[in-house]
Amino acid sequence: MKEKNYNLELVRMISFILVIAIHVSNYFCRAYGKIPQGEYLFSLVIDTVARLSVPCFFMISGALLLGRDEPIKKHIHRVVRFVIALVVWSAVYYFWNIYYMGSSFDLKEILYVPAEAHLWYLYAMIPIYLVLPFFQVMCRNMSLKLEKVFLIVTTGAVLFNYVLWLMGGEAYYDLPLIGDRIYAWYVFVGFYLYKYRRHIRISQRTLAVICVFSMAATFGITWGVTTVTGDHYEDALTYISPFVAIAAVCFFLFMLRLGNAHVRPGERARKVIDLFCGCSFGIYLIHILFLDNYKKYMKPWDLTAWIAVPGLIVVIALASFACVWVIRKLPGGRKIT
């Protein structure tokens, strides 16, 4: 059996904590003008840094899966697992929102509107997994020159789509390889970063500088437009933003090469990482239930963000992990987490 790469597992562990940080900090960012400026800026810093997480999830999938030669049966099992998780958690959040949160949802829209916003990730991954066996064959058989051309073409398409999006439009026809979103591009980039991590001629220090600069640019654009318009500006924080993409790519490559390209934690550390990473998907799915409880009874201005943001991140992460750990002990629990 191939040895587990703990650089990737560390990225996964960091990412599932940061995705909680996105949803927590964004709750306070959207209260711009109703909370003190310092609290807004603090929340925005957390939100900006945390945006690394979701691109990393896609890149991890690419790093682990695109280089494989797997039987179709395994692909079917992977897709079915995601579909089951989507159906179960859509039902959970549908009833949760209707009967507990008091919000409405039209079931006729379920094919293109998630029952809870964060379930969009499953809507993105299922189509990618459907075509994954074809992508695997393609990636395994491309020459180095063709790989470079492939990345140039797909990156150009992503940037083109981003410019059109800024202008309020969209391409008449999408590039079939990546569509009109950036998520498949992250999967491909994750594979190539992992494959050539030891050969890419850029230092760790340079990667760190570029990552920080890109996050600073994201922060600056968001704060600047927010100040001018008087409303929290989220467009610069989206995953199609070039600055978010550059920061995530630099962070991912930096982590891949940490510890001379392979982190070897002690046995106890490995057990902790394995335990938390094994629950990471379930934590992503369930954590909104705990955040919703806070939102139901507390407004962003009821408790200072200096305390609420880090406190909620820690409490929600631990509560989500505990619930997922219990669920995975139950019959069928692993299939939905």
Side-chain angles (χ1 to χ4, degrees):
M1 181 180 292
K2 187 176 180 180
E3 184 182 358
K4 183 177 293 185
N5 187 300
Y6 278 92
N7 294 69
L8 285 174
E9 294 306 296
L10 281 175
V11 175
R12 192 195 308 275
M13 190 171 179
I14 293 170
S15 296
F16 82 72
I17 295 173
L18 290 182
V19 80
I20 295 173
I22 291 175
H23 297 131
V24 171
S25 59
N26 211 30
Y27 181 55
F28 291 85
C29 286
R30 288 174 176 173
Y32 175 79
K34 298 179 181 179
I35 61 176
Q37 184 82 337
E39 293 185 26
Y40 171 77
L41 293 177
F42 171 68
S43 301
L44 182 57
V45 168
I46 301 298
D47 197 0
T48 301
V49 174
R51 294 288 166 161
L52 300 170
S53 57
V54 174
C56 283
F57 280 132
F58 286 105
M59 287 189 281
I60 290 170
S61 294
L64 292 176
L65 299 177
L66 279 185
R68 293 182 181 179
D69 183 5
E70 300 176 314
I72 292 298
K73 183 177 180 181
K74 191 164 187 177
H75 289 288
I76 294 173
H77 179 268
R78 186 180 292 122
V79 172
V80 169
R81 179 189 173 221
F82 261 67
V83 170
I84 291 174
L86 176 58
V87 171
V88 170
W89 288 99
S90 292
V92 168
Y93 281 106
Y94 173 77
F95 290 110
W96 173 266
N97 288 327
I98 295 295
Y99 296 107
Y100 184 73
M101 298 300 293
S103 58
S104 59
F105 183 80
D106 187 355
L107 276 177
K108 296 178 182 178
E109 301 179 346
I110 194 67
L111 289 177
Y112 48 90
V113 178
E116 184 67 37
H118 77 299
L119 295 180
W120 71 265
Y121 176 73
L122 279 73
Y123 281 68
M125 283 306 303
I126 289 173
I128 291 174
Y129 280 161
L130 282 171
V131 297
L132 185 65
F134 312 108
F135 285 165
Q136 286 178 331
V137 173
M138 181 182 70
C139 289
R140 286 199 310 270
N141 292 281
M142 282 198 291
S143 65
L144 179 60
K145 183 177 181 179
L146 198 57
E147 286 176 345
K148 292 179 179 178
V149 174
F150 175 78
L151 287 176
I152 290 172
V153 170
T154 54
T155 301
V158 166
L159 290 173
F160 179 69
N161 287 334
Y162 175 69
V163 172
L164 290 181
W165 177 78
L166 287 177
M167 297 168 62
E170 60 181 28
Y172 190 72
Y173 289 115
D174 301 319
L175 189 69
L177 285 169
I178 57 173
D180 64 345
R181 296 291 189 271
I182 196 173
Y183 311 123
W185 181 84
Y186 281 128
V187 174
F188 287 122
V189 169
F191 168 69
Y192 289 116
L193 289 176
Y194 186 69
K195 181 178 180 180
Y196 295 111
R197 62 191 182 278
R198 296 184 180 92
H199 306 287
I200 299 175
R201 296 180 180 178
I202 182 170
S203 69
Q204 292 290 81
R205 178 178 295 182
T206 302
L207 286 172
V209 170
I210 296 174
C211 181
V212 171
F213 173 81
S214 298
M215 288 191 292
T218 300
F219 175 88
I221 293 170
T222 303
W223 185 21
V225 178
T226 296
T227 302
V228 171
T229 62
D231 290 314
H232 175 55
Y233 180 71
E234 295 189 30
D235 286 359
L237 294 165
T238 60
Y239 306 118
I240 62 173
S241 165
F243 288 116
V244 173
I246 291 170
V249 166
C250 288
F251 171 75
F252 189 75
L253 181 56
F254 180 91
M255 292 299 296
L256 283 180
R257 301 195 308 197
L258 197 64
N260 294 323
H262 196 80
V263 173
R264 288 181 171 82
E267 183 178 354
R268 180 175 297 180
R270 288 199 301 271
K271 289 181 178 180
V272 172
I273 294 172
D274 289 341
L275 179 61
F276 275 88
C277 287
C279 296
S280 61
F281 183 50
I283 290 171
Y284 179 88
L285 294 169
I286 202 173
H287 76 276
I288 292 296
L289 297 177
F290 300 100
L291 180 57
D292 275 353
N293 262 304
Y294 183 86
K295 291 181 178 180
K296 186 177 177 68
Y297 299 105
M298 297 285 286
K299 300 297 182 183
W301 49 86
D302 287 339
L303 180 62
T304 175
W306 297 101
I307 296 174
V309 171
L312 282 170
I313 292 171
V314 172
V315 171
I316 291 173
L318 292 176
S320 299
F321 166 74
C323 287
V324 172
W325 184 83
V326 171
I327 291 172
R328 289 173 67 85
K329 297 293 183 181
L330 301 175
R334 290 179 177 268
K335 293 183 179 181
I336 61 171
T337 58

